[in-house]
Amino acid sequence: MVDFTRDAPAPVDLDVDWIHGAPPSWGATDPPIQVHACDPHTYVLRQSKHVSYEAPFLYLLFGHQRAVLFDTGATKDDVGFPLRSTVDGIVDRWSAENAADRYELVIAHTHSHGDHVAGDAQFADRPNTVVVGHGRDDVQAFFDITEWPGQVVPFDLGGRVLQIFATPGHHRASIAVYDPWSELLLTGDTVYPGRLYVEDFRAFLDSLDRLIAFTETHPIRAVMGCHVEMTQTPGRDYPIGTKYQPQEAPLPMTVAQLRAVRDAASAVADQPGAHQFDDFAIFHGPCRTAMARQVARTLVGRFRR
């Protein structure tokens, strides 16, 4: 059996061509879910943009006693989005290879916006499965977080101990997850290469400061969010509703880019509105004009096609 402490950090493969949709003339050529094994115990799944333009990334991590799936995607329908059967297949293979009997699965969430929890219903009747509730109180109770948001708590998968802490700002129940085995820092929708929508800017700044402080005492291989909305051209994003992103930015971000998010957020803290930067955008407040511009860009793109 792998020793998740002694053998860490694991070699992790983050060099992957993610499914990114296809031109309308091609039809739906992507599978509904792409599965990538970063290592034998760490999986990243991406929902197809043909199923949902949100195309969220989901994270499945295995320990000796249980696995945890962070987020369940943007679609409830198991026919168009067979998340349950996909995850069951991965868990069954892992259990067989690692002699795991009556293996538990935890369904948790980086936060509870609809594009991260819609697939929960597929796991409602699954044996040996716990689905964590969506509210902040549910999250605090399950992970035993008694001091929100400043406390960092362990979450033991069986030899593989994750670090969980709150990152409100985008959503009041947002969390970040650090995995010492892979040295990945999962940031949900708080930080990713795309449009960072901020619900509570003061809480957002505080969360970014704590993320930065955490990186100063822990080795970070990559910062992993849940979406890609930026192109490979600095400062250029794909508009809302895009279902074909052939030149999208890489999913993994660096600690330097995380610092850039924090510095940018500090700079625009007193300036509500949409602010574009090379690797991300910050939407401070409702940003109605910017959102209307996003819709207009989407419509223009469809008209040109």
Side-chain angles (χ1 to χ4, degrees):
M1 296 176 67
V2 62
D3 187 322
F4 288 107
T5 300
R6 185 190 63 192
D7 297 337
V12 172
D13 177 16
L14 297 177
D15 184 16
V16 53
D17 292 326
W18 293 108
I19 55 176
H20 52 259
S25 60
W26 291 9
T29 58
D30 285 342
I33 306 172
Q34 179 181 2
V35 177
H36 174 66
C38 298
D39 72 74
H41 315 286
T42 308
Y43 289 77
V44 183
L45 289 67
R46 189 184 198 179
Q47 184 171 0
S48 167
K49 293 191 73 67
H50 286 290
V51 180
S52 169
Y53 74 85
E54 296 279 8
F57 291 86
L58 324 176
Y59 296 89
L60 178 61
L61 313 179
F62 288 86
H64 293 310
Q65 296 173 353
R66 56 184 169 178
V68 59
L69 174 67
F70 287 104
D71 295 342
T72 59
T75 305
K76 181 178 180 179
D77 176 24
D78 61 351
V79 176
F81 181 53
L83 180 62
R84 162 76 180 271
S85 60
T86 300
V87 170
D88 281 353
I90 300 170
V91 172
D92 288 348
R93 288 192 298 273
W94 191 94
S95 299
E97 292 169 359
N98 293 272
D101 185 36
R102 293 184 58 80
Y103 194 70
E104 183 180 73
L105 175 65
V106 174
I107 307 296
H109 314 92
T110 60
H111 64 293
S112 60
H113 282 152
D115 55 320
H116 296 259
V117 304
D120 283 14
Q122 297 187 31
F123 297 90
D125 61 350
R126 188 183 188 278
N128 302 317
T129 301
V130 176
V131 180
V132 181
H134 299 168
R136 196 187 84 173
D137 290 346
D138 299 312
V139 175
Q140 282 192 250
F142 181 79
F143 290 111
D144 196 22
I145 302 174
T146 57
E147 298 178 13
W148 186 282
Q151 186 181 16
V152 179
V153 298
F155 182 56
D156 192 355
L157 301 179
R160 185 178 189 175
V161 183
L162 310 179
Q163 301 294 315
I164 311 288
F165 55 102
T167 54
H170 172 72
H171 184 278
R172 68 188 304 268
S174 291
I175 61 170
V177 181
Y178 176 66
D179 173 29
W181 166 253
S182 62
E183 296 184 344
L184 299 181
L185 178 62
L186 312 184
T187 52
D189 280 6
T190 299
V191 176
Y192 65 93
R195 293 178 293 275
L196 310 180
Y197 299 102
V198 184
E199 176 184 273
D200 181 334
F201 213 85
R202 179 174 293 183
F204 183 63
L205 285 172
D206 179 61
S207 293
L208 291 173
D209 284 340
R210 284 183 292 102
L211 281 166
I212 293 296
F214 189 89
T215 66
E216 291 171 350
T217 57
H218 297 79
I220 307 295
R221 178 178 275 128
V223 176
M224 305 288 281
C226 287
H227 302 278
V228 175
E229 295 164 349
M230 301 301 292
T231 71
Q232 294 177 16
T233 301
R236 184 71 175 175
D237 64 334
Y238 289 99
I240 292 173
T242 300
K243 292 192 172 184
Y244 177 46
Q245 299 185 171
Q247 299 294 324
E248 64 182 16
L251 172 65
M253 299 181 76
T254 65
V255 172
Q257 288 173 306
L258 174 60
R259 289 180 179 276
V261 172
R262 191 273 308 274
D263 293 345
S266 297
V268 303
D270 298 325
Q271 304 171 41
H275 305 274
Q276 200 79 18
F277 301 92
D278 282 354
D279 301 322
F280 53 89
I282 295 177
F283 277 52
H284 183 350
C287 302
R288 293 182 179 87
T289 300
M291 294 301 290
R293 190 178 300 117
Q294 286 283 326
V295 173
R297 288 177 61 200
T298 301
L299 294 175
V300 169
R302 290 176 181 173
F303 177 77
R304 287 175 175 170
R305 287 196 297 269

